[in-house]
Amino acid sequence: FRRVLLRSLGTALALFRAGAEVTLVGRSEESGSAAVDWIQRQSDAAEYPHRGASLTYMKGDIGTVSSSQGECPRLCVSL
């Protein structure tokens, strides 16, 4: 796996450190940006120098099955 769509910060942090292309999904741009910043601060490039790793945020709601059904096609096109 190289590209992952996530809501969990702990999982996102571990996958980013392992070199994955990680996309965080959430309803708030503010908290999404804060999460990306936090993961990057926790993953010093000198300690985790994986060239393929990337970390992005996409606004969306995948918290329930019904909201996921509406969001997934849009998010998948963006990925």
Side-chain angles (χ1 to χ4, degrees):
F1 66 98
R2 292 284 302 152
R3 183 170 287 165
V4 184
L5 188 68
L6 293 170
R7 289 180 358 129
S8 166
L9 283 181
T11 303
L13 175 61
L15 290 170
F16 180 68
R17 286 178 170 179
E21 296 176 19
V22 177
T23 301
L24 297 172
V25 178
R27 291 173 277 193
S28 165
E29 287 282 340
E30 185 177 323
S31 63
S33 293
V36 167
D37 291 343
W38 180 82
I39 290 171
Q40 289 174 333
R41 284 193 313 272
Q42 300 301 312
S43 304
D44 183 358
E47 190 174 348
Y48 302 99
H50 302 290
R51 289 194 174 101
S54 68
L55 181 62
T56 57
Y57 169 79
M58 292 180 69
K59 187 172 181 172
D61 183 3
I62 58 172
T64 65
V65 172
S66 61
S67 64
S68 296
Q69 289 173 333
E71 290 288 348
C72 284
R74 181 184 68 83
L75 296 172
C76 290
V77 167
S78 298
L79 295 174

